[in-house]
Amino acid sequence: MSGGVKPIPGDKPLSLWQQYGPSQSTVRGIVIGGATGAIEICITFPTEYVKTQLQLDERAKVPKYKGPIDCVKQTVKGHGFFGLYRGLSVLLYGSIPKSSFRFGTFEFLKSKACDDRGNLTPIMRLMCGLGAGVSEAIFAVTPMETVKVKFIHDQTLEKPKYKGFFHGVRSIVANDGIGGLYKGVTATMAKQGSNQAIRFFVMETLKDWYRGGDNTQTISKPIVGAMGVVAGAASVYGNTPIDVVKTRMQGLEAKKYKNTIDCALQIWRNEGFFAFYKGTVPRLSRVCLDVGITFMIYDSIIEFLDGAFKK
């Protein structure tokens, strides 16, 4: 078949799946990525909750929270410790497909762009990461983040209107249509695309440097975690302004903004430049922990399965 993978003489003919289906690395990325996302979000959700609360606490009004610690204290006082986990179900439902699309897309693009040793050029590290981020933004992150932000915002009201995940989704769709789940899609694509471009670029660069270009060398998990922390910090400082705009566009008061650009302009005019970095401290702690844990879990599962199948 023209355009397919040609079998070597003497070998069994390749099936259509082998010729045109997703590669083993792509399938591995999808499955292991999903498991990684579920484990990671259960560990890091409280910092995500605090970050979102601070970003919704506009300067134009009297601030409700003095800072991240005060936000934690008020939340625990008002709702107990598990108040820091309000909205977890939303992220749990979304984290599995999000992480699956992220790692599956990255592995797919990497398999097409890497050299014979399995390494990527610097520009391809950026492009593969960008593709992974845009993919997860379109297929998983935007609807998940919209519901999550509305859920967390709803819990600040005297009389919360969402009774649970599915009731909340039905209410959003009933009031705003399917498009209501895609508020801030442009900002989300920009955020996730730049996020993953930065993170995968830093991770692949650090791994390549550590291994001296030898892709077969194993890197210890503490070092992988440290690399993830560096990659996470780089992405936070690189795109927190986009994250703030995205959060505002997905909140319960999103209708006061005409579009993503208008939202950014209103924040600039009414609250000033530093409003674009609200929630940086809790986001920094969450993302560094998130990225470090994610890459450690992902690599650990891969090594475990590789070892199990070799036996």
Side-chain angles (χ1 to χ4, degrees):
M1 293 183 185
S2 60
V5 179
K6 296 181 179 180
I8 299 174
D11 286 355
K12 294 181 179 180
L14 296 176
S15 66
L16 289 176
W17 175 268
Q18 291 173 314
Q19 294 185 60
Y20 300 107
S23 65
Q24 180 181 353
S25 62
T26 302
V27 175
R28 180 183 66 179
I30 293 172
V31 176
I32 299 177
T36 298
I39 297 170
E40 176 274 325
I41 197 59
C42 290
I43 298 172
T44 64
F45 184 79
T47 53
E48 173 67 16
Y49 179 91
V50 173
K51 181 216 71 171
T52 302
Q53 289 282 35
L54 291 177
Q55 289 182 344
L56 291 170
D57 190 25
E58 300 184 29
R59 282 188 180 180
K61 301 178 180 179
V62 178
K64 179 179 179 180
Y65 305 113
K66 297 177 182 178
I69 295 178
D70 182 55
C71 180
V72 172
K73 288 181 178 178
Q74 288 195 44
T75 301
V76 173
K77 183 178 179 180
H79 302 284
F81 173 77
F82 289 104
L84 295 171
Y85 280 88
R86 301 297 285 270
L88 171 63
S89 61
V90 180
L91 277 195
L92 193 57
Y93 294 142
S95 286
I96 295 175
K98 177 182 75 172
S99 196
S100 290
F101 275 108
R102 175 190 303 169
F103 284 100
T105 301
F106 182 80
E107 293 288 357
F108 171 77
L109 294 175
K110 182 178 179 179
S111 69
K112 302 298 182 183
C114 65
D115 59 23
D116 293 337
R117 302 176 69 186
N119 296 319
L120 296 169
T121 63
I123 187 63
M124 291 314 299
R125 293 169 193 163
L126 278 172
M127 296 307 296
C128 290
L130 178 64
V134 171
S135 172
E136 69 178 13
I138 295 173
F139 296 106
V141 177
T142 300
M144 177 196 73
E145 285 283 296
T146 299
V147 175
K148 180 210 71 177
V149 172
K150 289 184 184 296
F151 264 52
I152 293 178
H153 202 171
D154 182 59
Q155 299 306 314
T156 66
L157 304 178
E158 292 185 7
K159 296 181 179 180
K161 59 183 179 181
Y162 299 142
K163 299 176 182 178
F165 174 77
F166 294 106
H167 175 261
V169 172
R170 286 198 301 270
S171 298
I172 294 170
V173 173
N175 294 329
D176 304 315
I178 294 295
L181 296 175
Y182 275 85
K183 293 292 184 180
V185 62
T186 302
T188 304
M189 289 174 64
K191 176 202 169 185
Q192 296 305 121
S194 59
N195 251 348
Q196 303 312 327
I198 294 171
R199 292 175 190 176
F200 278 109
F201 172 81
V202 173
M203 283 298 299
E204 290 294 313
T205 299
L206 290 176
K207 284 183 175 180
D208 185 63
W209 166 78
Y210 185 85
R211 293 183 298 213
D214 183 0
N215 202 41
T216 62
Q217 284 193 24
T218 300
I219 303 176
S220 67
K221 296 305 163 289
I223 293 178
V224 170
M227 291 177 177
V229 169
V230 174
S235 68
V236 167
Y237 286 109
N239 75 353
T240 288
I242 298 175
D243 188 42
V244 171
V245 173
K246 176 200 70 68
T247 298
R248 296 287 180 87
M249 285 295 294
Q250 293 172 330
L252 296 178
E253 299 177 357
K255 291 183 179 179
K256 70 181 183 181
Y257 306 119
K258 297 177 182 178
N259 49 47
T260 300
I261 295 177
D262 179 60
C263 177
L265 290 175
Q266 286 198 42
I267 294 174
W268 177 275
R269 292 169 185 159
N270 299 330
E271 303 172 55
F273 171 77
F274 290 105
F276 287 107
Y277 279 88
K278 294 193 74 172
T280 298
V281 174
R283 186 181 181 222
L284 185 65
S285 62
R286 182 193 71 81
V287 169
C288 287
L289 182 64
D290 175 343
V291 179
I293 290 174
T294 295
F295 280 104
M296 286 177 67
I297 294 173
Y298 186 77
D299 284 8
S300 296
I301 296 176
I302 286 179
E303 288 184 11
F304 172 77
L305 293 178
D306 285 347
F309 283 111
K310 286 180 181 178
K311 293 180 180 180

